[in-house]
Amino acid sequence: MSNTYCVIMAGGVGSRFWPKSTQKNPKQFLDVLGTGKTLIQQTFERFNSFIPSDKILVVTNDIYVDLVATQLPQISAKNILSEPFMRNTAPCLAYAIKKIEDEDPGAIMIVSPADHLISKTDVFEKVMDIGIHHVSNHNEILTIGIEPNRPNTGYGYIEYSKTDITEELTPVKVIEFKEKPSLELAEKYVKSGNYSWNSGIFLWSIKTILESFSKNASEILSHFETNDKVYNTSSEKEFINKVYQECPSISIDYAILEKAGNVSVINTDIGWSDIGTWVSLEEHITKSSDQNYVISGKTLTQKSTGNIVSLPAGKVLATKGLNNFIIVESDGVLMIVAKEFEQDIKQLREEAGKKFGNEIT
């Protein structure tokens, strides 16, 4: 549809993907799978197949504006929304909503993270088409839920009623959003069959989301409405710099989704992964003949299986008796972590920064 916009959120650091992902060059700007394209480039192309580039906006941090411009030359400078501080997803989306409203108050908006992988693009486009038509005709916020294939403790979950599903890809009312669960709870969610993983992909009309912000997060929206005349003008950046100093840091989930009563979900399988951890790459990498996952580097392994290896080009790794480890070297940092502790990489990164200097993080 001609009034559909896409907002790509690209301001995160990807701390669980350290040491490859750093503050200077985070995950969304990396080619993590060796495809020749970075995650943000893949995300842009995914949406550009049905949304023109002049209606695709990227929200990112000031320090990543040049990276976005370099990797996505198809996007004009005015469509790169620059945040002076990290304030989580609610402020960043409030900014994008007001900017789009200034151009087209009747617009439909799709929101997507920049660093997720979607392999079933045909299904994805079908889901987007259904979603666009749904939010065009219903005063609802629509989220895309992913059919879970295992109990995962690293994702949030969405509870819905199976009895409401009349046919495949039917939007159904969300009962409740669930925080990242314990393994025991995750097993119960998957077994019950009426929970999705929360993909972080949303669709809504500008009218609907502004109403929801006014009702549920007016303290955030009010900051961006103190001067409606600055959007898409030369005064926009100065205004946003001031607004962000006053704006709280809060996610769209907490600010809007968990409070709103008009949220629906489409439960689907689009070959989705948030590429949030090193282990999440295993689904997308072919095992080597010695049963390891080698992204880059040269390996000699003996009695060593299930390892994930990412090394600089030409670097040689020799192991014996090493199983199920994550082995990554990047910019002078060598990290070796057992897979069972992958959720602790973020903490390890923080402690390494304190001990050896934040430039390595």
Side-chain angles (χ1 to χ4, degrees):
M1 297 178 69
S2 61
N3 68 333
T4 300
Y5 289 71
C6 175
V7 174
I8 299 172
M9 299 182 292
V13 176
S15 55
R16 290 182 296 167
F17 219 73
W18 185 75
K20 196 75 174 176
S21 178
T22 63
Q23 294 182 71
K24 291 182 179 179
N25 195 28
K27 180 180 64 168
Q28 59 268 30
F29 302 111
L30 302 177
D31 176 11
V32 298
L33 292 173
T35 63
K37 294 178 181 177
T38 66
L39 291 173
I40 194 172
Q41 288 172 330
Q42 292 182 55
T43 300
F44 171 81
E45 291 182 1
R46 191 179 305 131
F47 287 103
N48 195 213
S49 65
F50 60 94
I51 298 176
S53 57
D54 64 342
K55 286 185 167 58
I56 299 178
L57 290 74
V58 176
V59 189
T60 192
N61 191 274
D62 281 351
I63 61 177
Y64 304 138
V65 168
D66 289 345
L67 274 172
V68 173
T70 299
Q71 294 197 6
L72 300 179
Q74 308 93 322
I75 292 182
S76 66
K78 77 177 185 67
N79 279 15
I80 302 176
L81 282 58
S82 176
E83 299 180 289
F85 316 108
M86 292 183 181
R87 289 290 186 263
N88 216 315
T89 52
C92 106
L93 291 176
Y95 176 18
I97 290 160
K98 293 300 296 181
K99 188 174 175 75
I100 293 171
E101 183 198 26
D102 181 76
E103 290 191 353
D104 184 354
I108 300 302
M109 179 172 160
I110 303 173
V111 176
S112 172
D115 54 359
H116 291 185
L117 185 70
I118 293 172
S119 59
K120 299 180 180 180
T121 54
D122 54 339
V123 180
F124 174 75
E125 290 188 17
K126 182 178 180 180
V127 169
M128 289 297 100
D129 185 60
I130 292 170
I132 290 167
H133 283 87
H134 184 79
V135 299
S136 298
N137 295 289
H138 297 83
N139 183 30
E140 290 183 359
I141 295 169
L142 182 65
T143 182
I144 307 304
I146 307 301
E147 294 177 356
N149 56 17
R150 65 189 184 282
N152 191 304
T153 60
Y155 298 150
Y157 285 71
I158 302 170
E159 182 183 5
Y160 63 93
S161 173
K162 285 193 295 187
T163 59
D164 291 341
I165 299 178
T166 56
E167 58 184 83
E168 186 182 12
L169 303 181
T170 300
V172 296
K173 185 177 176 60
V174 169
I175 297 174
E176 190 175 1
F177 287 89
K178 304 286 189 178
E179 296 299 316
K180 296 175 182 178
S182 64
L183 180 59
E184 182 181 5
L185 262 181
E187 289 172 344
K188 288 181 179 179
Y189 290 166
V190 174
K191 186 176 181 180
S192 72
N194 64 311
Y195 285 83
S196 299
W197 288 334
N198 187 352
S199 71
I201 301 172
F202 311 111
L203 299 89
W204 49 53
S205 68
I206 292 297
K207 177 178 179 291
T208 293
I209 194 62
L210 282 173
E211 288 176 353
S212 194
F213 261 98
S214 295
K215 181 179 179 180
N216 301 300
S218 59
E219 72 282 1
I220 296 173
L221 185 62
S222 62
H223 291 298
F224 294 90
E225 291 186 327
T226 54
N227 188 349
D228 283 344
K229 304 300 182 182
V230 301
Y231 294 102
N232 299 300
T233 73
S234 58
S235 301
E236 180 179 312
K237 180 56 179 169
E238 182 182 357
F239 173 71
I240 290 300
N241 285 348
K242 181 181 178 182
V243 165
Y244 266 69
Q245 292 180 36
E246 304 165 351
C247 214
S249 178
I250 185 171
S251 71
I252 193 70
D253 301 68
Y254 285 134
I256 300 293
L257 299 178
E258 293 183 6
K259 299 176 183 177
N262 60 334
V263 184
S264 295
V265 59
I266 293 179
N267 186 43
T268 184
D269 176 11
I270 51 177
W272 173 89
S273 172
D274 73 342
I275 309 293
T277 66
W278 286 103
V279 174
S280 68
L281 294 180
E282 290 184 353
E283 297 179 32
H284 312 287
I285 301 172
T286 302
K287 273 187 179 181
S288 58
S289 57
D290 56 6
Q291 300 301 298
N292 291 291
Y293 301 90
V294 181
I295 300 167
S296 56
K298 300 177 180 179
T299 60
L300 170 64
T301 59
Q302 297 178 354
K303 296 183 178 179
S304 300
T305 61
N307 298 299
I308 300 170
V309 181
S310 176
L311 303 174
K315 182 73 72 170
V316 174
L317 172 71
T319 66
K320 186 165 187 174
L322 191 70
N323 300 299
N324 299 314
F325 274 77
I326 303 165
I327 306 163
V328 181
E329 182 179 344
S330 181
D331 292 331
V333 178
L334 174 62
M335 182 192 75
I336 304 173
V337 173
K339 285 182 182 177
E340 62 183 298
F341 298 119
E342 68 161 345
Q343 295 295 334
D344 296 333
I345 290 176
K346 180 178 181 179
Q347 180 186 353
L348 190 65
R349 166 185 171 269
E350 292 172 357
E351 292 178 2
K354 291 176 183 177
K355 186 170 184 178
F356 303 112
N358 288 327
E359 62 274 7
I360 68 169
T361 66

